[in-house]
Amino acid sequence: MPGEKILLVDDEAEIVELISLYLKKEGYEVLCSNNGAEALEMAKEHRPDLVILDISLPGMDGIEVCRQLRKSFSTPILFLSCKSDDMDIILGFSIGGDDYITKPFSPGQLVARVKAHLRRSHLMEQHKEDSQHLYFPGLEVDLISRTVKVDSVIAPLSSKEFDLLLHLAKSPGKVLPLEQLYKMTWGVDSNGDTRTLLVHISNLRKKIETNPAEPRYVQTVRGVGYKFNG
């Protein structure tokens, strides 16, 4: 939506200039910072609708900036990084990041992801007043009766399948690592054995997806975990 504020935090001037150019063409207001401390102050003052955050910042790195932001903001946070190692990606998601984009990247793809996260954020705001239901295209989750409707037809979910879907659907677009999702659902650590989770995800997809092999809602993020596409 034109006019939305995006906080861009990166110490590489060329990248800041390039991203700003593409975002401004889409009508966004872009606030720029090249360090973590300043970025936190700008976030408090301007309350951006989305944050694009480089991990490798001088001084306070992007991971710590994200941790601090998450104490006060639910704003979508998109990490930028030259690192593509799975552990770095998992760390980024586990401390509150919503997406992870590896440098070099396509500016057009970045803008597309920004739009997607803002769209999901708006949907969540629209339905925030109705705390008893979650609504998505073709899918309704009733938190009181613990039922799920797919195209207005009740899907026969087990208790754990419902819990898994609920954890994912409460944060559309946010990636939940396997270990975190397991602990949220079963209340204990998986001790490295997540086969139970994988089986439940497979069964859940069979019940809510038109084509479980190409899921629309519960999507796999390779090497990390799962996210819900609302």
Side-chain angles (χ1 to χ4, degrees):
M1 185 182 298
E4 289 170 308
K5 296 179 182 178
I6 297 178
L7 176 57
L8 172 57
V9 190
D10 198 304
D11 63 331
E12 295 185 52
E14 296 83 0
I15 289 181
V16 170
E17 183 178 357
L18 179 63
I19 295 175
S20 296
L21 177 64
Y22 273 80
L23 291 174
K24 288 177 179 178
K25 282 184 178 179
E26 296 296 327
Y28 297 114
E29 178 182 347
V30 184
L31 310 168
C32 301
S33 173
N34 61 9
N35 68 84
E38 181 186 54
L40 291 175
E41 291 301 317
M42 293 179 71
K44 292 177 183 178
E45 179 180 354
H46 299 283
R47 304 193 70 83
D49 298 289
L50 181 143
V51 178
I52 299 174
L53 179 60
D54 183 32
I55 288 183
S56 302
L57 294 170
M60 183 188 301
D61 66 16
I63 295 296
E64 183 59 29
V65 173
C66 181
R67 285 198 180 100
Q68 295 299 321
L69 286 173
R70 280 291 173 251
K71 292 179 180 179
S72 305
F73 301 96
S74 58
T75 302
I77 297 176
L78 281 64
F79 278 120
L80 294 179
S81 178
C82 57
K83 300 178 181 179
S84 58
D85 184 77
D86 284 349
M87 292 306 299
D88 292 306
I89 297 173
I90 292 171
L91 175 60
F93 286 131
S94 67
I95 54 92
D98 295 283
D99 208 341
Y100 193 104
I101 301 170
T102 305
K103 299 177 182 178
F105 55 85
S106 160
Q109 183 186 66
L110 174 61
V111 171
R113 293 198 189 186
V114 166
K115 289 181 177 179
H117 283 284
L118 288 173
R119 184 165 58 248
R120 292 188 184 103
S121 182
H122 292 318
L123 285 172
M124 292 176 68
E125 288 296 323
Q126 289 172 9
H127 298 308
K128 186 178 290 184
E129 294 181 1
D130 184 358
S131 59
Q132 299 180 356
H133 297 80
L134 298 175
Y135 299 98
F136 305 97
L139 188 73
E140 177 185 346
V141 182
D142 188 324
L143 280 66
I144 302 301
S145 66
R146 288 177 61 85
T147 57
V148 173
K149 291 183 179 180
V150 180
D151 294 330
S152 301
V153 178
I154 292 180
L157 268 58
S158 70
S159 177
K160 290 302 183 187
E161 289 164 1
F162 180 88
D163 290 342
L164 280 171
L165 177 60
L166 184 59
H167 293 320
L168 289 162
K170 278 186 174 180
S171 302
K174 182 179 180 64
V175 179
L176 294 180
L178 292 175
E179 292 289 342
Q180 181 182 347
L181 187 54
Y182 187 99
K183 189 168 186 177
M184 292 170 69
T185 306
W186 277 271
V188 294
D189 292 327
S190 71
N191 294 320
D193 186 356
T194 55
R195 286 174 294 181
T196 298
L197 172 61
L198 301 181
V199 170
H200 278 75
I201 289 290
S202 176
N203 291 337
L204 173 61
R205 284 172 168 165
K206 291 175 183 177
K207 296 176 181 180
I208 68 170
E209 303 283 3
T210 302
N211 181 3
E214 297 181 3
R216 170 185 178 183
Y217 299 114
V218 180
Q219 300 185 342
T220 301
V221 179
R222 187 179 61 83
V224 183
Y226 297 97
K227 70 175 181 179
F228 184 84
N229 179 30

